[in-house]
Amino acid sequence: MRRYGLRDDQWERIKDLLPGREGHVGGTAADNRLFVEAVLYRYRAGIPWAGIPWRDLPPRFGDWKNIHRCLRRWCESGVIERIFHHLAADHDNEYMMIDSTIVRAHQHSAGALKKGGADQAIGRSRGVLTTKIHAICDALGNPAELDITPGQDADITQAEPLLESIDPDAFLADKAYDADQLIDRLTERGITPVIPSKRNRTTQRETDFALYRERNLVERFFNKLKQFRAIATRYDKLKSNFLAAVQFVSIIILLN
């Protein structure tokens, strides 16, 4: 596989899900594959401590303004989200796990106009601007659900919203997710909670620690995610753009 490109078999899996394909309603794109590879290049490439600006895309990809404009349309219309959920739908329900990771937000990502009090998922954590990525992975370590919040938000705030559309047999999480409301909700749905009890619990719950060790799969997913420079450090001003970036990279991971 080319480092900044897609294999033919990967392209075959997604080409019919993209707008602008031949026979699709609306205009036909000149080269959807080149556009996808341009976006992949922008998210992956860069020097060790930074990604690249859109305007620094190599000329072979075409006008960077058109690429950015097209990507923005895909973000607004939910194209990337739909492709991610299409690929993620084929998940292993034996057990799933949740966790979060913090990424630093570059100073260029701040300053978006807050129309109507819009939240751009940038907060302060440890004294710097940060964004938190929340993910649920299946028993194969593949992402099933994703979301982003400001860096200072508690991990557990996204647990129930992300659980709404999945139904695993068991659910793995660390002590940060040990809350009665979540445990009760899992029990009501017939999902076995594999969540160690906090020390301050009066009655400690039994935990299957042999199964709990499998939670490393979500950590491995975050490691893969952060191989992409523009994910390891956030440069996008808008929440919708950065969430779409995380979903786009997750699509690439699912295609491997």
Side-chain angles (χ1 to χ4, degrees):
M1 171 184 172
R2 290 174 296 154
R3 182 170 172 79
Y4 303 117
L6 297 174
R7 299 191 309 266
D8 289 342
D9 63 300
Q10 293 174 320
W11 174 243
E12 289 295 324
R13 290 180 63 187
I14 64 171
K15 69 176 186 178
D16 292 332
L17 303 173
L18 305 177
R21 62 185 181 274
E22 189 174 349
H24 186 257
V25 176
T28 301
D31 192 337
N32 261 344
R33 183 169 183 172
L34 185 65
F35 166 73
V36 170
E37 292 185 350
V39 176
L40 173 59
Y41 185 95
R42 192 266 172 171
Y43 287 144
R44 178 135 203 179
I47 55 180
W49 58 89
I52 64 170
W54 284 105
R55 65 179 68 249
D56 289 343
L57 280 175
R60 70 176 183 272
F61 292 122
D63 188 344
W64 69 269
K65 292 182 181 178
N66 290 336
I67 295 170
H68 182 267
R69 189 180 301 116
C70 182
L71 178 63
R72 183 65 194 140
R73 287 200 301 267
W74 282 22
C75 292
E76 291 176 345
S77 59
V79 171
I80 297 175
E81 182 179 10
R82 287 196 296 273
I83 297 172
F84 167 69
H85 282 124
H86 174 82
L87 295 177
D90 185 24
H91 48 242
D92 189 326
N93 272 335
E94 182 181 356
Y95 55 85
M96 290 189 181
M97 61 220 69
I98 189 172
D99 207 348
S100 69
T101 188
I102 286 179
V103 297
R104 184 165 183 172
H106 193 272
Q107 60 184 6
H108 292 167
S109 68
L113 295 177
K114 297 183 178 180
K115 297 180 180 179
D119 167 31
Q120 301 304 339
I122 295 178
R124 285 199 174 272
S125 175
R126 300 170 187 171
V128 296
L129 296 176
T130 55
T131 292
K132 184 174 286 188
I133 301 174
H134 304 262
I136 290 181
C137 291
D138 68 4
L140 299 176
N142 293 323
E145 293 291 337
L146 297 164
D147 203 359
I148 61 174
T149 63
Q152 75 274 11
D153 283 12
D155 292 356
I156 199 170
T157 58
Q158 297 304 302
E160 289 193 58
L162 290 177
L163 272 165
E164 287 182 1
S165 57
I166 59 174
D167 193 26
D169 295 332
F171 190 66
L172 287 58
D174 62 26
K175 292 182 180 180
Y177 298 88
D178 178 27
D180 290 338
Q181 182 176 334
L182 177 60
I183 300 298
D184 293 344
R185 180 63 180 145
L186 291 170
T187 304
E188 288 171 7
R189 293 179 55 185
I191 301 172
T192 302
V194 184
I195 305 174
S197 301
K198 293 179 180 177
R199 289 184 179 181
N200 60 1
R201 272 196 176 273
T202 304
T203 304
Q204 298 284 303
R205 294 189 319 279
E206 291 187 4
T207 303
D208 183 349
F209 283 103
L211 180 56
Y212 179 75
R213 285 197 293 269
E214 298 301 319
R215 200 181 63 82
N216 72 86
L217 292 171
V218 69
E219 302 289 355
R220 294 184 186 185
F221 164 68
F222 286 139
N223 287 339
K224 294 176 184 177
L225 204 59
K226 289 184 177 182
Q227 293 298 312
F228 293 76
R229 308 292 191 194
I231 302 298
T233 300
R234 173 178 172 173
Y235 297 91
D236 296 296
K237 289 182 180 291
L238 301 180
K239 175 180 179 179
S240 57
N241 280 15
F242 187 61
L243 178 57
V246 174
Q247 292 167 340
F248 179 90
V249 171
S250 297
I251 289 169
I252 302 303
I253 292 172
L254 286 165
L255 289 173
N256 285 330

